[in-house]
Amino acid sequence: MAAQFGRRLRKGATTTAVAAVAVAALSASGGPGATLATGSGDQQSTGTTPSPDDTAATGNSPYYTDLPPLNTPNKPGTATDLPVTGSAESGIPASILAAYKKAEQTVAGSDAACRLPWQLLAAIGKVESGQARGGRVDANGTTFSPILGPVLDGRGFAMIKDTDNGAYDGDATHDRAVGPMQFIPSTWATWGQDGNGDGRKDPNNIYDAALAAGRYLCAGSRDLSIATDLDRAVLSYNHSDAYLRTVRSWFDYYKRGTHEIPDGTGVVPPGLGGGTDPSPDPSTPGASPSPTPPPSSKPKPPKPGGSTPTSPKPTPPTPPPSQTVARVENAGTGALTATAGGAFAERIKVRATNKLGDSLAKASVTFTIAGDTDATFAGGKKTVTLLTGADGTVTAPVLQAGEKTGQFTVRAVATGRSLPAVTYTATVTARQADAIARTDDTALTAAPGAEFADTVEVKATYKGAVAAGVAVTATMITNAAEPVENDKGPYFKDADGKTVRTLTDLRTDADGILKLPKIYADDTAGTYKLRLTTQGGATVVIELKVEAPETPAA
């Protein structure tokens, strides 16, 4: 957008000296000819701002400007071994961290060349919403109340007239940035994603918003392991050099290590900072966001020799152990097997328990089908999210087998929680028939070198019912005690017109009927046999005669 936001003051420094050091370091990094912190890989940022992007994801809304602590959580290069504990500032709430990592994996599966690091999403989430107000999200990853930026009415901010009729931001006159990743409605309309598989694209859901942010950052042919591409991606999100430096600072900080903390216990930057609404207490019904302070408000300078004033940080309520999901376990599910095209008789059932080991009601559980399969839950869905009942259990919808045979996996997890999944193996077997027979008893005859006039038609059944889609093999066999494929007598033709005496890949139709291709006779007269065998072992042998036509009497 055309609107620009210049320098921003760091909030929340513990002492004037610390603040001075941090601001000095930040200013130095933005000086002429200076480079920013080391980017992904071995390259460094150029510090060059590309041309303004009128489709900035946030509408260039303001953002939290707190910088990382001066003490890093870990040594460079050890980001893969995350510390279990550490400063509150380095911790990321469990659901928020899970959403970032899931978005990284999802994007890698469809756009591996982008090389999206989850730490970049974490850095943007930090400056945009303080990690969704310190992780104040429900079990599905949705914020307890909307996170809204200031009204983009041109007074101190960009001018963006309403594009969503207030559907996302509640404002039918102007747009506002929405959600933990602060998308403006017009950008969300294009880039919105369903990251948690609930069938909705909700900018206030961290799984949806993180995946949308990942895809937005990877737009075009960007390779985020290249510093210049990463800089362009961040600047397309919010076109400000100060914003880029702030995101870069957190990005480098998170790459050096972080740790998971419980949802709702993250540090929320004091004051407005990023234009997001201050965090209301999610336990208060109908809690509404506080009004956005006017852009002209400025922080008071610290008194000489004194400490920088900080706003008190409210301690978010921690759910008691009796209300927190600690484990999801199998609740007696049996073997999962079904015939192709049929329904699984067994249904997956799990139980959610709390930290005390007691069954937990109203816990959100997500069931997901994974693997190379066309099986679905009833209704055609691959992912379903349900709540446990009063006894702490929940049963997944009926599993419907597709036509692909073999094994696949179903996982049950506590929605939005970094807890071990319950994994089930399901098996789809081929359709079967236990009987097969001709539909008529017409004699099948042909003269040497001619074709059989009548078509061979059979019907397959299973336990007396029509056996549709059953695989059948047809073979011309010898008359020996242990028959094998015959090398003479009747034959079929393949697609190239060549002689074949065995056909595979035959299947019965919806009525269990199979009509064989044309059968031809060679020059050898005699009585021959055609054997048809179904998946499931049903067999029928049909007689074929090759004989010269009778000569009329003189």
Side-chain angles (χ1 to χ4, degrees), residues 240-251:
S240 161
D241 282 330
Y243 178 84
L244 173 60
R245 290 194 293 271
T246 305
V247 169
R248 272 284 194 170
S249 296
W250 282 106
F251 176 52

Side-chain angles (χ1 to χ4, degrees), residues 367-380:
F367 299 90
T368 303
I369 296 173
D372 183 17
T373 180
D374 53 357
T376 63
F377 290 114

Side-chain angles (χ1 to χ4, degrees), residues 59 75 86-87 150 223 257 300 311 402 406 428 437 486 538:
K75 296 179 180 179
S87 70
D223 179 351
K300 294 180 180 180
S311 301
V428 178
N486 208 333

Side-chain angles (χ1 to χ4, degrees), residues 64 129-130 132-134 136 145 147 268 276-282 288-290 314:
Y64 287 111
S129 67
R133 300 186 185 124
R136 295 186 181 185
S145 59
I147 300 178
V268 181
T276 53
D277 299 325
S279 303
D281 186 343
S288 300
S290 302

Side-chain angles (χ1 to χ4, degrees), residues 321-345:
S322 62
Q323 298 178 14
T324 303
V325 180
R327 183 183 180 190
V328 175
E329 60 188 17
N330 185 12
T333 306
L336 297 171
T337 59
T339 301
F344 285 76

Side-chain angles (χ1 to χ4, degrees), residues 387-414:
L387 297 179
T388 58
D391 62 351
T393 67
V394 60
T395 302
V398 173
L399 270 174
Q400 180 69 40
E403 293 303 322
K404 288 185 178 180
T405 59
Q407 294 184 332
F408 64 92
T409 299
V410 182
R411 297 187 181 93
V413 298

Side-chain angles (χ1 to χ4, degrees), residues 217-276:
L217 294 168
C218 287
S221 58
R222 288 178 185 143
D223 179 351
L224 299 184
S225 67
I226 299 174
T228 52
D229 276 6
L230 188 144
D231 287 354
R232 289 190 181 94
V234 173
L235 287 166
S236 75
Y237 210 90
N238 190 318
H239 192 75
S240 161
D241 282 330
Y243 178 84
L244 173 60
R245 290 194 293 271
T246 305
V247 169
R248 272 284 194 170
S249 296
W250 282 106
F251 176 52
D252 290 339
Y253 182 77
Y254 286 137
K255 283 198 301 177
R256 288 176 171 83
T258 186
H259 62 283
E260 179 185 298
I261 59 176
D263 288 348
T265 64
V267 173
V268 181
L272 179 66
T276 53

